[in-house]
Amino acid sequence: GDSVTQMEGPVTLSEEAFLTINCTYTATGYPSLFWYVQYPGEGLQLLLKATKADDKGSNKGFEATYRKETTSFHLEKGSVQVSDSAVYFCAFTGANSKLTFGKGITLSVRP
Amino acid sequence: DTAVSQTPKYLVTQMGNDKSIKCEQNLGHDTMYWYKQDSKKFLKIMFSYNNKELIINETVPNRFSPKSPDKAHLNLHINSLELGDSAVYFCASSQNPRLAGETQYFGPGTRLLVL
């Protein structure tokens, strides 16, 4: 069935380090792909998205490219900040229009 | 102005009680959702309504009953609360989930603790 697999966490990085969070999906058809972020004590908010193969979503220095051949949507940022500490969720909407989430990964950035 | 709001933010109650969580969106969206986030942060959809009509009903105990008085509101009523119902419940909305890349907007969550 439809599913999202994210790398295991938590992840702890020093400020200005490079970030990669892996995400792969299993879905029928041509899903839209998303990264949502949840800051401490808050609800989820959209970080970026891509709707077709080879599209790159970007926001706040984060990027992810829709790779249909590897069914992946890895999140990257060249230089993380303390304010990026949050939980990151990879997700997709498939043929049934339902948003399916990965397990989420907690990122902690230390000064 | 809060786009998606939920009340209450925190809810502590005893097993066996009945409680409701309210959700309102002022975005003019047609579709609203309820999600449950467990202690490991895993998010799962529970229900979805489009223009007051139920369109998604996942495998959720029938103690949980959503009610949509109008398309801007989707409330969640829970009967006979159990310890395992303790979680964070998120409301969300979107305009048209069938559109590619449609974004869902989430409320701040309601933290339910059943004692």
Side-chain angles (χ1 to χ4, degrees), chain B residues 15-64:
Chain B
M15 260 193 330
N17 284 350
D18 303 338
K19 290 293 179 185
S20 291
I21 307 172
K22 296 187 176 181
C23 178
E24 177 181 2
Q25 54 96 3
N26 62 8
L27 297 168
H29 288 164
D30 286 341
T31 306
M32 296 184 72
Y33 313 82
W34 277 109
Y35 289 88
K36 180 179 180 180
Q37 186 177 45
D38 65 22
S39 58
K40 295 184 179 180
K41 302 285 189 185
F42 185 62
L43 268 163
K44 195 168 185 336
I45 190 165
M46 301 172 70
F47 302 102
S48 173
Y49 267 73
N50 181 273
N51 260 319
K52 304 194 312 178
E53 181 183 347
L54 182 66
I55 56 173
I56 293 176
N57 185 352
E58 293 294 289
T59 308
V60 176
N62 58 14
R63 299 181 294 103
F64 290 78

Side-chain angles (χ1 to χ4, degrees), chain B residues 38-106:
Chain B
D38 65 22
S39 58
K40 295 184 179 180
K41 302 285 189 185
F42 185 62
L43 268 163
K44 195 168 185 336
I45 190 165
M46 301 172 70
F47 302 102
S48 173
Y49 267 73
N50 181 273
N51 260 319
K52 304 194 312 178
E53 181 183 347
L54 182 66
I55 56 173
I56 293 176
N57 185 352
E58 293 294 289
T59 308
V60 176
N62 58 14
R63 299 181 294 103
F64 290 78
S65 53
K67 286 185 174 48
S68 182
D70 56 61
K71 74 173 192 178
H73 296 83
L74 180 62
N75 303 324
L76 183 65
H77 188 76
I78 315 171
N79 287 327
S80 302
L81 277 156
E82 300 178 356
L83 294 177
D85 297 332
S86 296
V88 183
Y89 293 84
F90 286 102
C91 178
S93 73
S94 68
Q95 179 54 37
N96 184 348
R98 290 190 173 81
L99 291 178
E102 184 74 352
T103 299
Q104 291 190 18
Y105 295 82
F106 284 77

Side-chain angles (χ1 to χ4, degrees), chain A residues 57-84:
Chain A
S58 61
N59 186 25
K60 298 182 182 180
F62 291 88
E63 292 183 340
T65 301
Y66 191 142
R67 300 287 187 201
K68 189 163 174 58
E69 64 277 13
T70 54
T71 61
S72 64
F73 194 52
H74 304 322
L75 183 69
E76 295 184 337
K77 186 173 185 180
S79 176
V80 294
Q81 305 301 310
V82 173
S83 58
D84 294 327

Side-chain angles (χ1 to χ4, degrees), chain A residues 10-110:
Chain A
V11 172
T12 301
L13 295 173
S14 297
E15 205 164 24
E16 298 183 5
F18 183 84
L19 170 71
T20 299
I21 302 177
N22 290 340
C23 171
T24 57
Y25 64 90
T26 301
T28 54
Y30 299 94
S32 295
L33 305 178
F34 304 83
W35 277 99
Y36 278 82
V37 60
Q38 184 179 19
Y39 297 104
E42 298 183 12
L44 279 75
Q45 55 185 273
L46 179 69
L47 180 60
L48 52 82
K49 64 183 179 183
T51 59
K52 60 183 187 294
D54 301 324
D55 266 3
K56 178 187 283 188
S58 61
N59 186 25
K60 298 182 182 180
F62 291 88
E63 292 183 340
T65 301
Y66 191 142
R67 300 287 187 201
K68 189 163 174 58
E69 64 277 13
T70 54
T71 61
S72 64
F73 194 52
H74 304 322
L75 183 69
E76 295 184 337
K77 186 173 185 180
S79 176
V80 294
Q81 305 301 310
V82 173
S83 58
D84 294 327
S85 298
V87 182
Y88 292 81
F89 294 90
C90 186
F92 72 85
T93 49
N96 60 7
S97 304
K98 192 169 68 173
L99 189 59
T100 299
F101 285 94
K103 289 187 175 180
I105 186 169
T106 300
L107 170 66
S108 299
V109 181
R110 51 176 185 247

